[in-house]
């Protein structure tokens, strides 16, 4: 038996209308989602990169002062005795300045037979060269500076100090001030970012990325190596909002 409604001419038209309405709604929703996606994309692409820095002057808390010295000659026993005498002179100089035994470090001596590498007329006038280094390692920076000013006394006592005798002043408590410096540098970076956002007619958003950067410790100047400048530089990326 045939359904009389199958011959209804209005049914195909109604189906087309429903299908067209569904397509229209789908296109509208797709356009809305696409617009929102582009908005988020534009917002995510808008950011500013700023740097902030902070500095602080600190006093060195460790001194490492090496005093290399050497003697030469053709008689090995005399060379050894001369080196021992100079070593004792340097050690006595430090002890007279008030430093203790554990602050004075003696490196193993090094003996060089220079005839072993030269022949005939190329031989040096002295066969043996005997050398060692006496190093002062102390946290008493002011006492070390006072001794440094009197180091000419060693030359007067016949000790010839070699190259590499410059003291090294170090600052070892970086971790105690580093967090505060990073916070200060980050705050300075935010101030710069806020000014940029204001000038460009935008609002500052959250942090997109942050990098602590480099922490440097340098001498304040050549004349006072015992005073250090600690500098921290941070790089921060902020989102910009409309």
């Amino acid at each position: 038996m045939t359904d009389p409604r199958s011959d209804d001419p209005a049914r195909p038209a109604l189906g087309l209308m429903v299908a067209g309405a569904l397509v229209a709604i789908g296109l509208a929703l797709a356009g809305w989602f696409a617009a929102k996606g582009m908005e988020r994309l534009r917002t995510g692409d808008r950011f500013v990169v700023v740097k902030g820095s902070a500095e602080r002057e600190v006093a060195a808390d460790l001194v490492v002062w090496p005093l290399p010295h050497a003697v030469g000659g053709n008689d090995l026993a005399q060379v050894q005795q001369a080196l021992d005498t100079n070593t004792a002179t340097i050690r006595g100089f430090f002890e007279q300045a008030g430093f203790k035994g554990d602050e004075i470090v003696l490196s193993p001596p090094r003996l060089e037979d220079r005839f072993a590498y030269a022949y005939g007329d190329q031989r040096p006038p002295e066969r043996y060269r005997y050398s060692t280094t006496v190093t002062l390692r102390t946290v008493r920076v002011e006492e070390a500076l006072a001794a440094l000013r009197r180091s000419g006394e060693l030359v007067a006592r016949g000790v010839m100090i070699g190259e590499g005798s410059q003291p090294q002043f170090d600052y070892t408590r970086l971790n105690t001030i580093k967090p505060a410096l990073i916070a200060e540098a980050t705050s300075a970076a935010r101030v710069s970012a806020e000014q940029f956002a204001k000038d460009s007619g935008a609002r500052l958003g959250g942090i997109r990325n942050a990098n602590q950067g480099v922490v440097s410790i340098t001498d304040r100047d050549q004349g006072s190596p015992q005073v250090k400048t600690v500098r921290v530089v941070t790089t921060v990326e902020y989102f910009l909002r409309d």
Side-chain angles (χ1 to χ4, degrees):
M1 181 177 181
T2 305
D3 187 350
R5 291 176 298 177
S6 62
D7 297 331
D8 187 354
R11 287 185 59 81
L14 180 60
L16 290 174
M17 291 176 62
V18 172
L22 292 175
V23 171
I25 293 173
L27 290 175
L29 289 174
W32 184 82
F33 283 120
K36 288 297 181 181
M38 291 300 296
E39 181 181 346
R40 287 194 296 269
L41 179 61
R42 289 194 299 270
T43 302
D45 283 346
R46 294 183 62 197
F47 63 92
V48 60
V49 181
V50 292
K51 291 182 181 293
S53 64
E55 290 185 354
R56 187 169 300 177
E57 285 189 0
V58 296
D61 55 17
L62 176 66
V63 181
V64 180
W65 183 12
L67 289 179
H69 60 104
V71 294
N74 293 314
D75 186 287
L76 182 57
Q78 291 180 354
V79 168
Q80 290 177 323
Q81 182 178 0
L83 187 72
D84 290 343
T85 299
N86 288 348
T87 299
T89 299
I90 297 174
R91 181 183 290 275
F93 171 78
F94 284 140
E95 290 175 346
Q96 290 173 5
F99 298 105
K100 308 301 181 181
D102 58 348
E103 296 175 294
I104 305 169
V105 181
L106 177 63
S107 65
R110 179 174 179 270
L111 178 63
E112 179 185 359
D113 184 353
R114 296 193 287 180
F115 280 12
Y117 307 101
Y119 302 94
D121 296 338
Q122 296 180 351
R123 286 185 173 182
E126 295 178 333
R127 176 174 181 176
Y128 299 108
R129 187 177 186 274
Y130 209 25
S131 61
T132 189
T133 301
V134 181
T135 302
L136 176 68
R137 182 183 178 87
T138 181
V139 298
R140 294 187 286 165
V141 178
E142 292 301 324
E143 290 89 336
L145 285 170
L148 180 62
R149 299 185 188 100
R150 296 174 36 241
S151 58
E153 296 177 10
L154 291 171
V155 178
R157 298 178 190 178
V159 180
M160 299 302 295
I161 303 300
E163 296 181 358
S165 61
Q166 291 298 319
Q168 178 180 335
F169 296 86
D170 295 326
Y171 179 69
T172 63
R173 295 195 292 267
L174 175 61
N175 288 337
T176 62
I177 65 171
K178 186 177 177 180
L181 285 174
I182 292 176
E184 184 179 339
T186 303
S187 177
R190 183 172 183 85
V191 170
S192 298
E194 288 174 342
Q195 185 62 48
F196 180 89
K198 180 181 178 181
D199 294 342
S200 60
R203 293 183 298 108
L204 196 64
I207 293 178
R208 180 176 183 265
N209 190 27
N211 185 359
Q212 174 185 308
V214 179
V215 179
S216 63
I217 303 177
T218 57
D219 296 344
R220 183 184 64 181
D221 52 62
Q222 293 183 349
S224 52
Q226 75 278 11
V227 180
K228 303 295 182 180
T229 299
V230 181
R231 188 169 190 262
V232 174
V233 178
T234 59
T235 302
V236 186
E237 298 177 6
Y238 287 97
F239 287 110
L240 294 177
R241 307 301 186 196
D242 293 331

